[in-house]
Amino acid sequence: MAKVPRLISQLFETEIFIKIGNRNFQIPRDIFSSPGNSPNFFSLGFAVFFATPGEVFPGLDRQNLLRPPAVLPPSVPNRSAEVFDQLLHVLQGYPIHIRNEEHRAELLRDCRYFHLRGLEQKLISHHISYNVPRGKSEIIIRLEDIRQSGVSFVAGASPFDRFPLEGWVHYARPFVDESAYELIIEVGDECTQIDLRSMRADFHGVANAKITSLFNVVANKMNLPTNVPLGLVMRSGGAAALPVSPGNTPLSDAQVKIRIEHDAHILLDGDEYHLDSDPGFEPHDNLDLPDLSTTRTPLGFGSDCGSATTTQHQSSAAASQYSRSSSRPPTRKRKRRGSLDDFGEWIIRKAQWRLRVQPRMDAKGGMEIVLVAVKLEALSGQRGRNTARAFLS
């Protein structure tokens, strides 16, 4: 009889037996020992197998037992055995080749189902690199994949910062990254609209809620007071009842301030777009783009320089000489545009932004977040959007 408790305790030291889909798995217990992977679906959902020995078979009289009752291994029929096998492969330390975004979505879906948070952070789409010109390590990650615990603010991170509290938002993937990197968020799904006259951005749908949440997290990390009057909060039924808007955070107005510098990569209506000047924060600066009708000099794009008479023969000769030069790289297609007032608004299909925190220069005072463009894929209004449409296949 004394052997029964010892036999039961041995069952809790052996592998986990479980059926996923149509396959049986024998899983070592220490495979979930990595940070973030415990507690999980198995330790929480199957107490009959993974609780303490005293809690097994509640209500059963153990005094006259010769052996534990025979039971079938737990089964999870609504999950894919193939996907789960790949997750185990990664948990054992092997790399995995993610074929496409659909494949990644399958892996992440089952990570969340089995509550493997550490493994999920390894599999989310991201890119970490060292930016030599900026002298910083950067991480690009989608807005919807950001977790509150990984957000941080680094003040005075650049010699160009003019104020003590100036700096950039950083991010480290929870359970995975040992240090934080300068954050570049990627916002897709055609949910952003920017006004190039005021240099402001509007977010719609889920992106609006996510960007508002992110701004609140940064404000909390900086210990900033709320900018919503207490009377308004109480009258509206609490902070949770306020409209979801970046304007209800201490770091932004309802429309988020943006900055598009000359080094931002822009695709406008499918064509690469170059800025030859830095429009900065001013709403009426010009985008002084080169005129394709002017003569190309041996150094690249030339200008009229006040000359009103340039013959077609001279332009053709200069263009021919430019094209014959094998030592010069081919020029990229550029679009001729005027000032920011000529643009109005852009619809942003995808964008990558850095998050800069700086003091406000208006009467409100305090701090604000400015989204600094890294890469934009834009449509110039409804016509550009219709041009990008495809017929159903």
Side-chain angles (χ1 to χ4, degrees):
M1 296 297 297
K3 294 182 180 180
V4 174
R6 184 173 60 184
L7 179 60
I8 294 177
S9 65
Q10 288 177 352
L11 292 176
F12 289 89
E13 298 174 359
T14 58
E15 288 86 357
I16 298 171
F17 294 89
I18 191 169
K19 184 176 183 181
I20 306 291
N22 57 355
R23 287 176 55 185
N24 293 309
F25 290 88
Q26 183 176 345
I27 309 170
R29 290 183 178 273
D30 60 354
I31 201 171
F32 302 118
S33 59
S34 300
N37 292 327
S38 182
N40 51 52
F41 174 87
F42 308 100
S43 60
L44 295 175
F46 286 91
V48 66
F49 271 88
F50 308 110
T52 59
E55 297 175 354
V56 178
F57 313 118
L60 182 68
D61 184 7
R62 295 178 172 80
Q63 294 183 356
N64 299 319
L65 284 179
L66 297 178
R67 59 179 176 80
V71 292
L72 294 175
S75 176
V76 188
N78 61 338
R79 295 288 106 180
S80 168
E82 180 183 354
V83 173
F84 186 74
D85 187 55
Q86 295 176 51
L87 295 181
L88 291 180
H89 194 69
V90 180
L91 287 171
Q92 291 170 339
Y94 294 98
I96 184 173
H97 173 66
I98 298 179
R99 300 185 297 270
N100 48 46
E101 286 305 310
E102 289 76 15
H103 182 207
R104 187 190 303 275
E106 289 180 351
L107 296 172
L108 291 175
R109 190 182 304 116
D110 277 14
C111 276
R112 295 174 184 127
Y113 183 88
F114 294 114
H115 206 63
L116 303 174
R117 296 178 297 167
L119 181 58
E120 175 190 355
Q121 291 299 312
K122 288 183 178 181
L123 295 178
I124 60 174
S125 183
H126 69 283
H127 179 70
I128 297 175
S129 63
Y130 183 77
N131 190 326
V132 175
R134 293 178 61 85
K136 300 178 182 178
S137 295
E138 302 171 334
I139 181 170
I140 303 174
I141 192 169
R142 293 192 177 104
L143 176 63
E144 59 268 23
D145 291 329
I146 292 178
R147 298 294 176 263
Q148 176 178 345
S149 59
V151 178
S152 61
F153 168 71
V154 178
S158 170
F160 302 103
D161 295 335
R162 296 171 294 172
F163 300 94
L165 288 181
E166 258 185 333
W168 303 84
V169 178
H170 284 56
Y171 187 74
R173 291 171 299 161
F175 313 113
V176 177
D177 295 328
E178 297 181 357
S179 59
Y181 310 97
E182 187 173 281
L183 174 62
I184 299 176
I185 60 171
E186 181 171 311
V187 184
D189 297 332
E190 205 174 300
C191 59
T192 311
Q193 192 170 12
I194 63 175
D195 189 330
L196 295 169
R197 291 178 294 260
S198 62
M199 298 302 289
R200 297 279 178 169
D202 275 317
F203 295 90
H204 303 277
V206 177
N208 183 54
K210 293 292 185 180
I211 204 75
T212 300
S213 176
L214 176 58
F215 284 10
N216 272 321
V217 170
V218 176
N220 291 335
K221 300 286 184 176
M222 299 177 64
N223 296 319
L224 297 179
T226 179
N227 62 340
V228 181
L230 180 60
L232 177 61
V233 174
M234 299 301 294
R235 188 165 57 250
S236 60
L242 291 173
V244 177
S245 170
N248 290 328
T249 71
L251 287 170
S252 179
D253 296 326
Q255 292 180 312
V256 182
K257 183 177 286 189
I258 63 172
R259 182 182 179 98
I260 304 176
E261 298 176 333
H262 67 279
D263 56 357
H265 181 264
I266 302 174
L267 285 177
L268 179 60
D269 297 335
D271 295 320
E272 191 168 1
Y273 194 100
H274 294 261
L275 302 181
D276 286 346
S277 65
D278 182 4
F281 296 107
E282 297 299 326
H284 297 294
D285 285 349
N286 291 335
L287 301 181
D288 297 328
L289 298 177
D291 192 342
L292 291 179
S293 63
T294 59
T295 303
R296 299 175 186 262
T297 67
L299 296 178
F301 288 92
S303 62
D304 292 337
C305 299
S307 174
T309 58
T310 302
T311 65
Q312 181 177 3
H313 174 74
Q314 289 174 330
S315 300
S316 301
S320 300
Q321 180 182 2
Y322 187 87
S323 62
R324 286 195 301 266
S325 176
S326 59
S327 60
R328 304 184 186 97
T331 59
R332 295 179 179 177
K333 181 179 180 181
R334 300 190 178 190
K335 284 192 172 184
R336 170 64 178 174
R337 295 289 185 181
S339 67
L340 286 174
D341 292 332
D342 296 332
F343 289 106
E345 296 181 345
W346 280 353
I347 301 170
I348 306 300
R349 304 186 69 178
K350 293 181 181 179
Q352 293 178 353
W353 308 91
R354 290 189 179 92
L355 282 77
R356 178 176 177 80
V357 182
Q358 66 179 28
R360 297 178 68 111
M361 298 303 177
D362 53 20
K364 294 182 179 180
M367 306 296 293
E368 66 180 351
I369 284 182
V370 180
L371 299 181
V372 182
V374 176
K375 190 179 184 70
L376 301 176
E377 184 178 331
L379 301 173
S380 58
Q382 189 62 42
R383 181 180 177 85
R385 190 175 189 276
N386 291 338
T387 303
R389 291 180 189 269
F391 289 104
L392 298 177
S393 58

